[in-house]
Amino acid sequence: MGDPNSTSLFRLGVLGSGEGSNFGAIVGACQNGTLPATVAVVLSDVEEAAISQRAHEAGVACSHIAPGKFRTKLDEAAEAAYIKALNDAKVDLVVLAGFMRILKGEFLRAFEGRVVNVHPSLLPAFPGLEAWKQALDHGVKVTGATVHFVDQGVDNGAIIAQETVPVLDDDTPEVLHERIQGAEHRIYPETIGAIARGEIALRGRRTVRTGR
Ligand code: GAR
């Protein structure tokens, strides 16, 4: 199960910049057969990010592609290199897993409707960076995790799945982020599985689940 050379399985291209715990949950679900997909390639904008080590350990092809001159997005050459690497790996779905750069224009046109992201809040609350810290600072009692399609806006695309997480009185940013990540690791592989099985339909801004 989860053979990266399989041509029959739904093929994922994972982009990440950091720890790679969501990649770990996804590749684990591919390997144990609960997610009917294979991770064909991992790409990172950060040299020697932990996600690259995890990919290596999981036997998944992984490349570092330098992002170019900008701080928050890819420059033109980098964007083209990411598109080529994902096309060469014949990916069906681009999975952002802690990829800390905004994707736009050419990239989204190349994979229209085929890019998903996980975000550590109940969107549309707390888009952007360190959403768990934003939740603590704002004083909400409930936050969570969201899986959504990626569009031109920041953390704005159609929502596919959400799980709530309580905010407890003694929470530190780290403890709350860890609790949210537990939810991410449940809903991200499950949602990707639903997409792979063709069970997610888009109706305007809403997604609906078919086939269950
Ligand atoms: C995750 O919590 C993810 O939701 C967040 O980065 C973390 C990456 O963790 N992404 C964003 O904040 C994107 N706006 P991981 O590398 O261990 O999967």
Side-chain angles (χ1 to χ4, degrees):
M1 266 297 182
D3 174 2
N5 296 317
S6 166
T7 47
S8 57
L9 273 171
F10 193 76
R11 297 173 69 78
L12 309 175
V14 176
L15 270 54
S17 309
E19 273 307 308
S21 71
N22 279 285
F23 162 72
I26 291 162
V27 82
C30 291
Q31 286 168 349
N32 72 24
T34 53
L35 170 52
T38 186
V39 182
V41 70
V42 169
L43 303 176
S44 181
D45 58 324
V46 176
E47 215 165 356
E48 293 180 26
I51 190 171
S52 312
Q53 181 60 30
R54 283 186 194 250
H56 181 69
E57 284 162 13
V60 175
C62 177
S63 300
H64 164 249
I65 303 181
K69 58 186 177 229
F70 301 116
R71 203 170 50 85
T72 58
K73 62 176 187 176
L74 303 175
D75 73 11
E76 215 174 297
E79 189 177 58
Y82 275 82
I83 293 171
K84 182 174 184 324
L86 292 164
N87 280 332
D88 286 351
K90 297 186 169 51
V91 308
D92 297 298
L93 187 71
V94 179
V95 174
L96 307 185
F99 190 65
M100 302 314 272
R101 291 185 184 260
I102 298 164
L103 295 168
K104 357 184 129 209
E106 270 317 295
F107 188 96
L108 295 181
R109 274 191 290 280
F111 302 101
E112 186 156 9
R114 295 191 294 138
V115 186
V116 291
N117 182 41
V118 67
H119 183 77
S121 75
L122 293 176
L123 289 172
F126 313 130
L129 296 176
E130 297 189 323
W132 58 91
K133 194 163 176 306
Q134 295 185 52
L136 269 186
D137 290 347
H138 195 92
V140 295
K141 299 297 183 193
V142 177
T143 183
T146 300
V147 179
H148 64 94
F149 285 115
V150 175
D151 70 7
Q152 300 275 352
V154 176
D155 300 325
N156 176 71
I159 290 168
I160 315 168
Q162 294 186 301
E163 182 176 320
T164 58
V165 169
V167 180
L168 305 181
D169 289 351
D170 296 334
D171 275 350
T172 60
E174 295 71 28
V175 167
L176 179 57
H177 189 203
E178 202 177 311
R179 193 176 307 120
I180 293 170
Q181 287 208 304
E184 294 182 341
H185 300 164
R186 284 185 291 278
I187 64 172
Y188 213 9
E190 198 279 330
T191 306
I192 293 165
I195 295 171
R197 290 189 297 270
E199 293 174 2
I200 305 294
L202 191 57
R203 304 212 177 127
R205 256 208 72 87
R206 296 186 64 199
T207 62
V208 292
R209 288 231 181 179
T210 58
R212 73 167 189 189

